[in-house]
Amino acid sequence: MPKLTKRLIDALQTDDAEAFVWDTIVLGFGVRFRRSGTKSFILKYRMGSAVRRHTLGRIGSPHTVEEARDAASEMLRQVKAGHDPMQAKRASNEAITVNELIQAYLHEDRIAKPNKRESSWAGDASVLNRHVAPLLGHRLARDLTRRDLEKLQADVLTGKTAKDVRTKLRGRAIIRGGPGAAGHTIRTTAAMLSWAVMQDILPFNPAIGVQKITARRRERFLTTAEAKHMLSTLSILVTTDEIPESHAAIIRLLLFTGARKSEILNLTWAEVDLERGRIHLPWHRSKTGEKMIPLNSAAVAEIMRRPREGPFVFPAARGEGPTVGLYKTWNRVREIAKLPGVRLHDLRHSFASFAAADGASLYLIGKALGHRQASTTERYAHLTDEPIRAVAEQVGQRFLQITTDGSATPLAPSTGER
Protein backbone atom coordinates (compact mmCIF):
# COMPACT_ATOMS: atom_id res chain seq x y z
CA MET A 1 0.00 0.00 0.00
CA PRO A 2 1.69 3.28 -1.13
CA LYS A 3 1.93 6.65 0.50
CA LEU A 4 -0.54 8.94 -1.25
CA THR A 5 1.14 11.62 -3.36
CA LYS A 6 -0.11 13.98 -6.04
CA ARG A 7 1.78 12.08 -8.74
CA LEU A 8 0.28 8.75 -7.67
CA ILE A 9 -3.23 10.21 -7.51
CA ASP A 10 -2.94 11.87 -10.95
CA ALA A 11 -2.06 8.48 -12.46
CA LEU A 12 -5.02 6.60 -10.95
CA GLN A 13 -7.46 5.09 -13.45
CA THR A 14 -10.06 2.33 -13.31
CA ASP A 15 -12.57 0.54 -15.53
CA ASP A 16 -14.72 -0.26 -12.48
CA ALA A 17 -17.56 1.90 -11.18
CA GLU A 18 -15.25 2.95 -8.34
CA ALA A 19 -11.98 1.90 -6.74
CA PHE A 20 -9.92 2.87 -3.70
CA VAL A 21 -6.28 3.44 -2.78
CA TRP A 22 -5.30 3.80 0.88
CA ASP A 23 -2.55 5.80 2.54
CA THR A 24 0.25 4.22 4.60
CA ILE A 25 0.77 7.27 6.83
CA VAL A 26 -2.76 7.81 8.15
CA LEU A 27 -4.70 4.55 8.33
CA GLY A 28 -8.20 4.93 6.86
CA PHE A 29 -7.23 7.92 4.73
CA GLY A 30 -7.58 7.23 1.00
CA VAL A 31 -8.73 8.20 -2.45
CA ARG A 32 -11.89 7.04 -4.18
CA PHE A 33 -11.68 7.23 -7.97
CA ARG A 34 -14.34 6.42 -10.54
CA ARG A 35 -14.53 5.34 -14.17
CA SER A 36 -15.68 8.86 -15.04
CA GLY A 37 -12.35 10.24 -13.82
CA THR A 38 -13.59 11.94 -10.64
CA LYS A 39 -11.38 11.51 -7.58
CA SER A 40 -12.13 12.34 -3.95
CA PHE A 41 -10.33 12.13 -0.63
CA ILE A 42 -12.14 9.91 1.87
CA LEU A 43 -11.71 8.72 5.44
CA LYS A 44 -12.76 5.24 6.53
CA TYR A 45 -13.35 4.84 10.26
CA ARG A 46 -15.27 2.70 12.72
CA MET A 47 -18.03 4.10 14.91
CA GLY A 48 -19.17 1.38 17.27
CA SER A 49 -19.81 -1.68 15.12
CA ALA A 50 -20.35 0.37 11.94
CA VAL A 51 -17.64 1.12 9.37
CA ARG A 52 -18.19 4.44 7.64
CA ARG A 53 -16.66 6.33 4.72
CA HIS A 54 -16.59 10.08 5.01
CA THR A 55 -15.86 12.20 1.89
CA LEU A 56 -13.40 14.98 2.59
CA GLY A 57 -13.77 16.60 -0.83
CA ARG A 58 -12.59 16.37 -4.42
CA ILE A 59 -8.89 16.26 -5.17
CA GLY A 60 -7.61 19.81 -4.91
CA SER A 61 -10.98 21.11 -3.70
CA PRO A 62 -10.51 22.20 -1.04
CA HIS A 63 -7.51 20.09 -0.04
CA THR A 64 -4.09 19.20 -1.32
CA VAL A 65 -2.86 15.72 -0.35
CA GLU A 66 -1.08 17.08 2.72
CA GLU A 67 -4.05 19.18 3.81
CA ALA A 68 -6.44 16.26 3.34
CA ARG A 69 -4.14 13.99 5.36
CA ASP A 70 -4.06 16.55 8.20
CA ALA A 71 -7.86 16.87 8.08
CA ALA A 72 -8.19 13.06 8.21
CA SER A 73 -5.88 12.92 11.25
CA GLU A 74 -7.95 15.54 13.04
CA MET A 75 -11.19 13.68 12.30
CA LEU A 76 -9.72 10.44 13.62
CA ARG A 77 -8.93 12.25 16.88
CA GLN A 78 -12.57 13.38 17.02
CA VAL A 79 -13.73 9.81 16.42
CA LYS A 80 -11.60 8.60 19.36
CA ALA A 81 -13.28 11.26 21.48
CA GLY A 82 -16.69 9.87 20.49
CA HIS A 83 -17.70 12.40 17.83
CA ASP A 84 -19.05 11.15 14.50
CA PRO A 85 -17.94 13.38 11.56
CA MET A 86 -20.57 11.94 9.21
CA GLN A 87 -23.39 12.60 11.63
CA ALA A 88 -22.22 16.19 12.07
CA LYS A 89 -21.98 16.68 8.32
CA ARG A 90 -25.38 15.08 7.78
CA ALA A 91 -26.97 17.44 10.29
CA SER A 92 -25.32 20.42 8.57
CA ASN A 93 -26.36 19.27 5.09
CA GLU A 94 -29.93 18.69 6.15
CA ALA A 95 -30.19 22.34 7.15
CA ILE A 96 -28.66 23.82 3.97
CA THR A 97 -31.00 25.90 1.84
CA VAL A 98 -30.99 26.05 -1.94
CA ASN A 99 -29.57 29.58 -1.74
CA GLU A 100 -26.67 28.31 0.39
CA LEU A 101 -26.17 25.38 -1.97
CA ILE A 102 -25.96 27.77 -4.94
CA GLN A 103 -23.21 29.81 -3.31
CA ALA A 104 -21.27 26.69 -2.25
CA TYR A 105 -21.49 25.25 -5.77
CA LEU A 106 -20.38 28.44 -7.50
CA HIS A 107 -17.38 28.76 -5.16
CA GLU A 108 -16.20 25.20 -4.56
CA ASP A 109 -16.85 23.60 -7.95
CA ARG A 110 -15.14 26.56 -9.63
CA ILE A 111 -11.98 25.57 -7.73
CA ALA A 112 -12.37 21.95 -8.85
CA LYS A 113 -12.82 22.89 -12.54
CA PRO A 114 -10.03 25.35 -13.44
CA ASN A 115 -10.50 24.74 -17.18
CA LYS A 116 -14.12 25.89 -17.19
CA ARG A 117 -14.28 29.39 -18.62
CA GLU A 118 -15.13 32.28 -16.31
CA SER A 119 -17.88 33.34 -18.72
CA SER A 120 -19.48 29.91 -18.28
CA TRP A 121 -19.42 30.32 -14.51
CA ALA A 122 -20.92 33.79 -14.92
CA GLY A 123 -23.72 32.24 -16.98
CA ASP A 124 -24.34 29.58 -14.33
CA ALA A 125 -24.41 32.23 -11.60
CA SER A 126 -26.89 34.32 -13.58
CA VAL A 127 -29.24 31.37 -14.14
CA LEU A 128 -29.09 30.13 -10.55
CA ASN A 129 -29.39 33.54 -8.90
CA ARG A 130 -32.03 34.98 -11.23
CA HIS A 131 -34.26 31.97 -11.86
CA VAL A 132 -33.64 29.29 -9.21
CA ALA A 133 -33.04 31.46 -6.14
CA PRO A 134 -36.31 33.49 -6.44
CA LEU A 135 -38.40 30.33 -6.81
CA LEU A 136 -36.62 27.75 -4.64
CA GLY A 137 -33.94 29.63 -2.70
CA HIS A 138 -35.74 29.48 0.65
CA ARG A 139 -36.35 25.72 0.43
CA LEU A 140 -34.15 23.15 2.16
CA ALA A 141 -32.09 21.40 -0.51
CA ARG A 142 -32.78 17.97 1.02
CA ASP A 143 -36.56 18.47 0.52
CA LEU A 144 -36.43 19.08 -3.24
CA THR A 145 -38.34 16.58 -5.38
CA ARG A 146 -38.55 15.90 -9.08
CA ARG A 147 -41.95 17.59 -9.05
CA ASP A 148 -40.36 20.78 -7.64
CA LEU A 149 -37.87 20.87 -10.50
CA GLU A 150 -40.53 20.18 -13.12
CA LYS A 151 -42.49 23.13 -11.71
CA LEU A 152 -39.32 25.26 -11.70
CA GLN A 153 -38.89 24.59 -15.41
CA ALA A 154 -42.56 25.33 -16.11
CA ASP A 155 -42.44 28.62 -14.16
CA VAL A 156 -39.35 29.85 -16.01
CA LEU A 157 -40.97 28.81 -19.30
CA THR A 158 -44.02 30.99 -18.61
CA GLY A 159 -41.89 33.96 -17.52
CA LYS A 160 -42.53 33.90 -13.77
CA THR A 161 -38.96 35.06 -13.09
CA ALA A 162 -38.81 37.58 -15.95
CA LYS A 163 -37.95 41.15 -14.97
CA ASP A 164 -35.97 44.22 -15.94
CA VAL A 165 -33.40 45.26 -13.33
CA ARG A 166 -30.66 47.87 -13.06
CA THR A 167 -27.20 46.36 -12.71
CA LYS A 168 -24.85 49.37 -12.69
CA LEU A 169 -25.06 53.13 -12.95
CA ARG A 170 -26.30 52.92 -16.55
CA GLY A 171 -26.64 49.16 -16.91
CA ARG A 172 -29.68 46.93 -16.94
CA ALA A 173 -30.40 43.23 -17.14
CA ILE A 174 -33.49 42.00 -18.94
CA ILE A 175 -34.33 38.54 -17.59
CA ARG A 176 -36.64 36.62 -19.87
CA GLY A 177 -38.44 33.31 -19.68
CA GLY A 178 -39.25 31.00 -22.56
CA PRO A 179 -38.05 27.56 -23.66
CA GLY A 180 -34.38 28.53 -23.96
CA ALA A 181 -34.19 29.99 -20.45
CA ALA A 182 -36.23 27.12 -18.98
CA GLY A 183 -34.09 24.40 -20.51
CA HIS A 184 -30.86 26.17 -19.52
CA THR A 185 -32.13 26.63 -15.97
CA ILE A 186 -32.98 22.98 -15.40
CA ARG A 187 -29.72 21.76 -16.95
CA THR A 188 -27.66 24.09 -14.75
CA THR A 189 -29.67 23.13 -11.67
CA ALA A 190 -29.21 19.43 -12.44
CA ALA A 191 -25.44 19.93 -12.66
CA MET A 192 -25.43 21.70 -9.29
CA LEU A 193 -27.46 18.93 -7.67
CA SER A 194 -25.17 16.27 -9.16
CA TRP A 195 -22.23 18.08 -7.57
CA ALA A 196 -24.10 18.13 -4.25
CA VAL A 197 -24.54 14.36 -4.43
CA MET A 198 -20.82 13.84 -5.10
CA GLN A 199 -20.05 16.05 -2.09
CA ASP A 200 -22.41 13.99 0.11
CA ILE A 201 -24.57 17.07 0.64
CA LEU A 202 -27.60 15.33 -0.91
CA PRO A 203 -28.39 11.61 -0.93
CA PHE A 204 -29.68 11.69 -4.55
CA ASN A 205 -30.24 14.04 -7.46
CA PRO A 206 -33.95 14.96 -7.71
CA ALA A 207 -33.41 16.30 -11.25
CA ILE A 208 -32.94 12.77 -12.59
CA GLY A 209 -35.95 11.92 -14.73
CA VAL A 210 -37.03 15.50 -15.40
CA GLN A 211 -37.87 15.89 -19.10
CA LYS A 212 -35.76 18.89 -20.04
CA ILE A 213 -37.05 21.35 -22.63
CA THR A 214 -34.92 21.39 -25.75
CA ALA A 215 -34.95 24.87 -27.22
CA ARG A 216 -35.48 25.03 -30.96
CA ARG A 217 -32.20 25.90 -32.66
CA ARG A 218 -32.48 29.29 -34.33
CA GLU A 219 -30.48 29.67 -37.51
CA ARG A 220 -30.92 32.67 -39.75
CA PHE A 221 -28.70 33.16 -42.77
CA LEU A 222 -28.39 36.52 -44.45
CA THR A 223 -28.65 36.56 -48.21
CA THR A 224 -25.90 38.33 -50.16
CA ALA A 225 -28.29 41.22 -50.82
CA GLU A 226 -29.19 41.48 -47.10
CA ALA A 227 -25.52 41.43 -46.08
CA LYS A 228 -24.64 44.19 -48.57
CA HIS A 229 -27.62 46.25 -47.42
CA MET A 230 -26.56 45.80 -43.80
CA LEU A 231 -23.01 46.98 -44.60
CA SER A 232 -24.29 50.07 -46.41
CA THR A 233 -26.64 50.78 -43.48
CA LEU A 234 -23.69 50.67 -41.10
CA SER A 235 -21.85 53.27 -43.18
CA ILE A 236 -24.88 55.56 -43.27
CA LEU A 237 -25.49 55.32 -39.51
CA VAL A 238 -21.83 56.05 -38.76
CA THR A 239 -21.85 59.05 -41.11
CA THR A 240 -24.96 60.46 -39.40
CA ASP A 241 -23.44 59.79 -35.93
CA GLU A 242 -26.31 57.47 -35.00
CA ILE A 243 -23.98 54.62 -33.98
CA PRO A 244 -20.30 54.50 -32.88
CA GLU A 245 -17.84 53.74 -35.65
CA SER A 246 -16.18 51.12 -33.42
CA HIS A 247 -19.47 49.22 -33.14
CA ALA A 248 -19.87 49.24 -36.91
CA ALA A 249 -16.35 47.81 -37.21
CA ILE A 250 -17.16 45.02 -34.75
CA ILE A 251 -20.31 44.07 -36.67
CA ARG A 252 -18.39 44.00 -39.94
CA LEU A 253 -15.69 41.80 -38.41
CA LEU A 254 -18.32 39.36 -37.12
CA LEU A 255 -19.56 38.95 -40.69
CA PHE A 256 -16.08 38.83 -42.25
CA THR A 257 -14.62 36.26 -39.81
CA GLY A 258 -17.52 34.18 -38.47
CA ALA A 259 -16.13 34.74 -34.96
CA ARG A 260 -18.25 34.79 -31.82
CA LYS A 261 -19.32 38.16 -30.42
CA SER A 262 -17.15 37.94 -27.29
CA GLU A 263 -14.10 36.97 -29.35
CA ILE A 264 -14.21 40.25 -31.31
CA LEU A 265 -15.75 42.52 -28.67
CA ASN A 266 -12.96 41.71 -26.16
CA LEU A 267 -10.20 41.45 -28.77
CA THR A 268 -6.77 42.72 -27.65
CA TRP A 269 -3.87 43.85 -29.81
CA ALA A 270 -1.74 41.08 -28.31
CA GLU A 271 -4.11 38.54 -29.91
CA VAL A 272 -3.85 40.07 -33.41
CA ASP A 273 -1.15 38.80 -35.78
CA LEU A 274 -1.49 40.87 -38.95
CA GLU A 275 1.75 39.51 -40.38
CA ARG A 276 0.32 35.99 -40.46
CA GLY A 277 -3.22 37.20 -41.09
CA ARG A 278 -4.86 35.68 -38.03
CA ILE A 279 -6.18 36.17 -34.52
CA HIS A 280 -4.71 33.89 -31.86
CA LEU A 281 -7.03 33.44 -28.87
CA PRO A 282 -5.73 31.76 -25.67
CA TRP A 283 -7.75 28.91 -24.15
CA HIS A 284 -9.71 31.08 -21.71
CA ARG A 285 -10.91 33.46 -24.44
CA SER A 286 -12.78 31.00 -26.61
CA LYS A 287 -15.63 28.61 -25.99
CA THR A 288 -13.63 25.81 -27.63
CA GLY A 289 -10.24 26.55 -26.06
CA GLU A 290 -7.16 27.92 -27.81
CA LYS A 291 -8.19 29.05 -31.26
CA MET A 292 -6.88 30.56 -34.49
CA ILE A 293 -9.23 32.83 -36.47
CA PRO A 294 -8.05 33.42 -40.06
CA LEU A 295 -8.31 37.00 -41.28
CA ASN A 296 -9.29 37.66 -44.88
CA SER A 297 -8.24 40.89 -46.58
CA ALA A 298 -11.50 42.65 -45.61
CA ALA A 299 -10.96 41.77 -41.94
CA VAL A 300 -7.28 42.81 -42.03
CA ALA A 301 -8.24 46.18 -43.53
CA GLU A 302 -10.87 46.65 -40.84
CA ILE A 303 -8.40 46.03 -38.02
CA MET A 304 -5.65 48.15 -39.59
CA ARG A 305 -8.00 51.16 -39.51
CA ARG A 306 -8.27 50.90 -35.72
CA PRO A 307 -6.17 53.34 -33.65
CA ARG A 308 -4.01 51.78 -30.92
CA GLU A 309 -5.34 53.38 -27.75
CA GLY A 310 -4.61 50.76 -25.14
CA PRO A 311 -4.71 46.96 -24.92
CA PHE A 312 -8.15 46.54 -26.51
CA VAL A 313 -8.77 46.84 -30.23
CA PHE A 314 -12.21 48.26 -29.38
CA PRO A 315 -11.73 50.14 -26.06
CA ALA A 316 -14.52 51.67 -24.02
CA ALA A 317 -15.30 55.32 -24.69
CA ARG A 318 -14.89 56.04 -20.97
CA GLY A 319 -12.92 54.08 -18.39
CA GLU A 320 -11.06 50.84 -18.89
CA GLY A 321 -12.05 47.64 -20.63
CA PRO A 322 -13.66 46.94 -24.01
CA THR A 323 -16.49 48.93 -25.58
CA VAL A 324 -20.05 48.49 -24.29
CA GLY A 325 -23.56 48.95 -25.66
CA LEU A 326 -23.17 46.79 -28.76
CA TYR A 327 -26.65 45.25 -28.44
CA LYS A 328 -28.27 48.70 -28.42
CA THR A 329 -26.36 49.56 -31.59
CA TRP A 330 -27.33 46.27 -33.25
CA ASN A 331 -31.01 46.83 -32.48
CA ARG A 332 -30.78 50.19 -34.27
CA VAL A 333 -28.94 48.66 -37.25
CA ARG A 334 -31.39 45.83 -37.82
CA GLU A 335 -34.33 48.22 -37.41
CA ILE A 336 -33.03 50.54 -40.13
CA ALA A 337 -31.82 47.67 -42.34
CA LYS A 338 -35.19 45.93 -41.91
CA LEU A 339 -33.70 42.72 -40.52
CA PRO A 340 -36.16 41.95 -37.68
CA GLY A 341 -35.23 38.99 -35.51
CA VAL A 342 -31.67 38.72 -36.88
CA ARG A 343 -29.21 38.23 -34.00
CA LEU A 344 -25.54 39.16 -33.90
CA HIS A 345 -24.80 35.42 -33.70
CA ASP A 346 -26.58 34.97 -37.04
CA LEU A 347 -23.67 36.77 -38.69
CA ARG A 348 -21.58 33.72 -37.76
CA HIS A 349 -24.15 31.46 -39.42
CA SER A 350 -24.14 33.73 -42.46
CA PHE A 351 -20.35 33.45 -42.76
CA ALA A 352 -20.77 29.66 -42.90
CA SER A 353 -23.53 29.90 -45.49
CA PHE A 354 -21.43 32.13 -47.78
CA ALA A 355 -18.48 29.73 -47.44
CA ALA A 356 -20.72 26.77 -48.32
CA ALA A 357 -22.20 28.62 -51.30
CA ASP A 358 -18.65 29.11 -52.61
CA GLY A 359 -18.07 25.36 -52.46
CA ALA A 360 -16.22 25.01 -49.12
CA SER A 361 -16.43 21.56 -47.49
CA LEU A 362 -17.87 20.99 -44.03
CA TYR A 363 -14.33 20.25 -42.83
CA LEU A 364 -13.03 23.64 -43.99
CA ILE A 365 -16.10 25.47 -42.65
CA GLY A 366 -15.57 23.82 -39.25
CA LYS A 367 -11.89 24.81 -39.28
CA ALA A 368 -12.73 28.42 -40.15
CA LEU A 369 -15.31 28.61 -37.37
CA GLY A 370 -13.04 26.89 -34.83
CA HIS A 371 -15.27 23.87 -34.20
CA ARG A 372 -13.57 21.10 -32.25
CA GLN A 373 -16.07 18.41 -33.26
CA ALA A 374 -17.26 17.66 -36.79
CA SER A 375 -20.79 17.07 -35.46
CA THR A 376 -21.03 20.79 -34.57
CA THR A 377 -20.60 21.70 -38.22
CA GLU A 378 -23.23 19.19 -39.39
CA ARG A 379 -25.94 21.85 -39.01
CA TYR A 380 -24.54 23.43 -42.19
CA ALA A 381 -24.61 20.19 -44.20
CA HIS A 382 -27.63 21.26 -46.26
CA LEU A 383 -25.83 24.43 -47.32
CA THR A 384 -23.01 22.56 -49.04
CA ASP A 385 -25.53 21.11 -51.48
CA GLU A 386 -26.07 24.54 -53.06
CA PRO A 387 -23.01 24.52 -55.39
CA ILE A 388 -23.88 20.98 -56.51
CA ARG A 389 -27.48 21.99 -57.10
CA ALA A 390 -26.26 24.98 -59.14
CA VAL A 391 -24.22 22.70 -61.40
CA ALA A 392 -27.21 20.40 -61.90
CA GLU A 393 -29.40 23.42 -62.65
CA GLN A 394 -26.98 24.61 -65.33
CA VAL A 395 -27.23 21.25 -67.06
CA GLY A 396 -31.01 21.33 -66.77
CA GLN A 397 -31.17 24.85 -68.25
CA ARG A 398 -29.19 23.65 -71.29
CA PHE A 399 -31.85 21.09 -72.20
CA LEU A 400 -34.72 23.30 -71.10
CA GLN A 401 -33.72 25.82 -73.78
CA ILE A 402 -33.63 23.08 -76.42
CA THR A 403 -37.13 21.87 -75.59
CA THR A 404 -38.74 25.32 -75.34
CA ASP A 405 -37.44 26.93 -78.55
CA GLY A 406 -38.85 24.13 -80.69
CA SER A 407 -35.54 23.21 -82.25
CA ALA A 408 -35.37 19.87 -80.52
CA THR A 409 -37.28 17.66 -78.13
CA PRO A 410 -35.96 15.62 -75.26
CA LEU A 411 -35.12 12.05 -76.08
CA ALA A 412 -37.69 9.51 -75.03
CA PRO A 413 -36.46 6.99 -72.45
CA SER A 414 -35.08 3.84 -73.98
CA THR A 415 -37.29 0.74 -73.71
CA GLY A 416 -34.57 -1.64 -74.74
CA GLU A 417 -36.35 -2.46 -78.06
CA ARG A 418 -34.83 -1.81 -81.48
Side-chain angles (χ1 to χ4, degrees):
M1 189 182 301
K3 172 187 174 181
L4 289 180
T5 63
K6 183 179 184 301
R7 177 177 294 182
L8 185 150
I9 293 171
D10 288 344
L12 293 176
Q13 293 181 334
T14 183
D15 292 328
D16 298 328
E18 64 178 18
F20 302 87
V21 171
W22 304 101
D23 189 36
T24 55
I25 306 300
V26 176
L27 298 183
F29 172 56
V31 171
R32 175 177 58 207
F33 53 106
R34 294 189 166 97
R35 185 189 302 124
S36 62
T38 59
K39 301 171 184 177
S40 302
F41 291 118
I42 63 170
L43 175 65
K44 181 171 67 173
Y45 64 94
R46 183 179 294 277
M47 202 72 191
S49 59
V51 175
R52 296 179 178 173
R53 289 176 183 157
H54 176 72
T55 301
L56 299 171
R58 283 192 185 182
I59 305 300
S61 174
H63 303 301
T64 62
V65 181
E66 292 75 17
E67 290 169 342
R69 186 180 285 112
D70 291 342
S73 298
E74 176 59 32
M75 286 187 179
L76 287 175
R77 284 192 286 272
Q78 294 177 14
V79 170
K80 286 185 178 180
H83 300 292
D84 188 348
M86 285 192 68
Q87 186 176 11
K89 184 175 182 178
R90 188 178 298 114
S92 174
N93 289 342
E94 287 178 350
I96 190 172
T97 65
V98 172
N99 275 336
E100 292 169 332
L101 180 62
I102 288 172
Q103 299 314 310
Y105 169 68
L106 293 175
H107 174 69
E108 295 181 22
D109 205 34
R110 180 188 262 103
I111 297 173
K113 295 178 179 176
N115 292 327
K116 184 172 177 178
R117 291 196 309 157
E118 192 58 34
S119 59
S120 297
W121 283 116
D124 288 352
S126 177
V127 167
L128 294 171
N129 289 321
R130 290 174 172 167
H131 292 297
V132 181
L135 297 174
L136 297 175
H138 64 286
R139 297 279 302 277
L140 291 178
R142 69 179 185 194
D143 293 339
L144 291 181
T145 65
R146 187 174 72 179
R147 176 60 182 159
D148 291 325
L149 297 174
E150 289 171 343
K151 188 174 186 304
L152 167 69
Q153 183 172 235
D155 286 342
V156 176
L157 176 65
T158 57
K160 192 169 183 178
T161 52
K163 58 182 177 180
D164 187 341
V165 296
R166 287 187 174 274
T167 55
K168 295 179 182 178
L169 183 62
R170 297 190 305 273
R172 59 191 289 215
I174 301 176
I175 301 140
R176 297 184 175 91
H184 190 189
T185 296
I186 205 65
R187 284 190 291 274
T188 304
T189 305
M192 177 184 70
L193 296 174
S194 177
W195 171 83
V197 172
M198 295 189 65
Q199 298 299 314
D200 290 333
I201 295 174
L202 296 179
F204 66 94
N205 186 346
I208 294 176
V210 174
Q211 296 296 310
K212 302 174 182 65
I213 294 174
T214 301
R216 185 177 63 183
R217 178 171 282 166
R218 295 172 57 193
E219 291 176 0
R220 169 72 155 84
F221 307 99
L222 295 181
T223 65
T224 301
E226 286 176 328
K228 288 181 177 179
H229 180 55
M230 182 199 74
L231 293 174
S232 64
T233 300
L234 288 173
S235 298
I236 293 170
L237 293 177
V238 169
T239 302
T240 57
D241 290 328
E242 292 188 58
I243 64 172
E245 192 280 330
S246 61
H247 288 186
I250 292 172
I251 293 170
R252 286 192 290 264
L253 275 175
L254 292 176
L255 179 65
F256 296 161
T257 65
R260 295 181 177 87
K261 175 182 68 67
S262 63
E263 294 169 349
I264 299 299
L265 185 64
N266 300 311
L267 185 64
T268 66
W269 287 110
E271 295 166 344
V272 177
D273 186 348
L274 291 176
E275 184 176 348
R276 293 181 174 86
R278 66 186 185 182
I279 292 171
H280 180 195
L281 298 179
W283 68 269
H284 62 278
R285 276 272 286 118
S286 175
K287 183 179 179 181
T288 54
E290 186 176 0
K291 177 180 179 180
M292 295 290 183
I293 301 175
L295 295 175
N296 50 39
S297 56
V300 168
E302 198 67 53
I303 293 176
M304 289 183 68
R305 283 195 291 267
R306 305 302 308 159
R308 296 200 177 217
E309 300 174 342
F312 291 98
V313 178
F314 302 100
R318 290 193 295 267
E320 299 179 352
T323 186
V324 296
L326 184 62
Y327 279 120
K328 182 177 180 180
T329 295
W330 176 244
N331 286 336
R332 179 62 176 158
V333 171
R334 66 182 183 181
E335 176 189 356
I336 299 300
K338 293 181 172 52
L339 297 172
V342 175
R343 306 165 301 161
L344 280 169
H345 194 71
D346 291 327
L347 301 181
R348 179 172 167 85
H349 295 318
S350 299
F351 174 91
S353 73
F354 295 140
D358 290 336
S361 66
L362 285 180
Y363 174 78
L364 291 178
I365 292 173
K367 284 293 184 182
L369 294 177
H371 290 164
R372 283 188 300 187
Q373 298 178 343
S375 58
T376 310
T377 319
E378 288 295 327
R379 73 178 73 178
Y380 304 117
H382 65 288
L383 297 175
T384 58
D385 292 339
E386 291 299 326
I388 301 172
R389 194 176 296 115
V391 170
E393 182 62 26
Q394 289 177 2
V395 175
Q397 288 295 327
R398 179 189 300 270
F399 293 106
L400 184 62
Q401 292 173 4
I402 294 175
T403 58
T404 55
D405 65 12
S407 59
T409 57
L411 294 175
S414 173
T415 61
E417 298 178 357
R418 294 185 180 275

